[in-house]
Amino acid sequence: DTAVSQTPKYLVTQMGNDKSIKCEQNLGHDTMYWYKQDSKKFLKIMFSYNNKELIINETVPNRFSPKSPDKAHLNLHINSLELGDSAVYFCASSRQGEETQYFGPGTRLLVL
Amino acid sequence: QKEVEQDPGPLSVPEGAIVSLNCTYSNSAFQYFMWYRQYSRKGPELLMYTYSSGNKEDGRFTAQVDKSSKYISLFIRDSQPSDSATYLCAMTLGYGNNRLAFGKGNQVVVIP
């Protein structure tokens, strides 16, 4: 009965590769987010979707492309991976009109 | 100046002590304030949520917001080893703007 789930949990890959991370929430929320947490534990928002529509797009390289096939899923595709992309990526969700966000367990990405 | 400032610590306290954490922020338009707890290798989990200025208590946890000083605090009474985690403050404008601005997190270690 996991509320927000992400796959994979760990991802080790070479520079230049393309990879995807998937997120699913079963909370019935309308809004989903992607955050990046760097090695210093700083969490920064990347994207937000509300009912499959992109509503927040922070200054993120266009190698990162989110896709929301339905309001329960938000995937993140990363092209041409770079060393600096190594981080933990968290998916989160919230109910429309509410400020509290619920986070997934994270995907630990290591680019070699 | 960063949007949200939080002294990363770490903070070590003996079991039973009071833990005091705080954040300052620069954007006076923030209305909603949260504290998240993040255990090692886990996603952040919502601990406390307050709107505007005031205090909120939940068991051993008290959250305080002073909007005039742009300062928020979290107090943990009778701290337990299970409270050992990183505590992140977060805040948002609300009113449909769900972009959460996070502090860097404060690592707390409660020593038995």
Side-chain angles (χ1 to χ4, degrees):
Chain A
D1 61 342
T2 307
V4 182
S5 59
Q6 295 178 230
T7 53
K9 283 190 176 172
Y10 300 95
L11 191 49
V12 182
T13 188
Q14 300 284 339
M15 264 174 53
N17 283 352
D18 303 338
K19 290 291 177 188
S20 290
I21 308 172
K22 296 188 176 189
C23 178
E24 176 181 1
Q25 53 93 6
N26 62 6
L27 297 166
H29 289 168
D30 308 282
T31 309
M32 296 184 72
Y33 312 80
W34 277 112
Y35 286 85
K36 179 180 179 181
Q37 188 172 47
D38 61 25
S39 56
K40 292 192 164 91
K41 296 281 197 179
F42 185 56
L43 256 176
K44 193 168 180 346
I45 191 164
M46 300 172 70
F47 301 103
S48 173
Y49 269 76
N50 181 267
N51 278 319
K52 302 195 296 174
E53 183 184 340
L54 182 65
I55 55 170
I56 294 175
N57 185 351
E58 293 289 296
T59 309
V60 176
N62 57 14
R63 297 182 295 103
F64 290 80
S65 51
K67 277 194 175 54
S68 182
D70 56 63
K71 72 175 194 176
H73 296 84
L74 180 62
N75 304 324
L76 183 65
H77 188 76
I78 316 170
N79 288 329
S80 304
L81 278 154
E82 299 178 358
L83 294 176
D85 298 333
S86 297
V88 184
Y89 292 84
F90 286 101
C91 176
S93 71
S94 68
R95 198 181 304 279
Q96 189 165 359
E98 293 184 5
E99 286 66 34
T100 50
Q101 296 178 20
Y102 297 85
F103 285 77
T107 295
R108 280 154 187 81
L109 171 65
L110 179 60
V111 182
L112 301 173
Chain B
Q1 182 186 10
K2 281 196 167 45
E3 217 171 12
V4 182
E5 299 274 5
Q6 183 178 9
D7 183 357
L11 182 65
S12 290
V13 299
E15 184 175 353
I18 294 175
V19 175
S20 172
L21 306 170
N22 55 72
C23 290
T24 58
Y25 60 95
S26 57
N27 188 346
S28 57
F30 283 136
Q31 296 282 350
Y32 296 85
F33 304 89
M34 285 150 254
W35 285 94
Y36 282 83
R37 178 175 60 195
Q38 186 175 19
Y39 290 115
S40 181
R41 301 195 158 267
K42 300 285 186 188
E45 58 174 321
L46 182 67
L47 195 60
M48 297 288 281
Y49 164 68
T50 50
Y51 168 68
S52 198
S53 283
N55 292 359
K56 184 173 183 178
E57 194 172 310
D58 184 1
R60 296 183 297 110
F61 299 90
T62 300
Q64 286 184 351
V65 174
D66 181 350
K67 287 193 70 185
S68 62
S69 303
K70 294 187 213 152
Y71 187 90
I72 69 170
S73 302
L74 177 72
F75 299 97
I76 308 173
R77 287 184 301 282
D78 187 26
S79 57
Q80 305 293 310
S82 59
D83 295 327
S84 298
T86 296
Y87 291 81
L88 301 128
C89 64
M91 47 201 76
T92 183
L93 301 173
Y95 305 112
N97 184 330
N98 285 358
R99 179 185 157 275
L100 272 181
F102 278 90
K104 278 194 169 181
N106 213 168
Q107 187 183 359
V108 172
V109 178
V110 180
I111 302 163

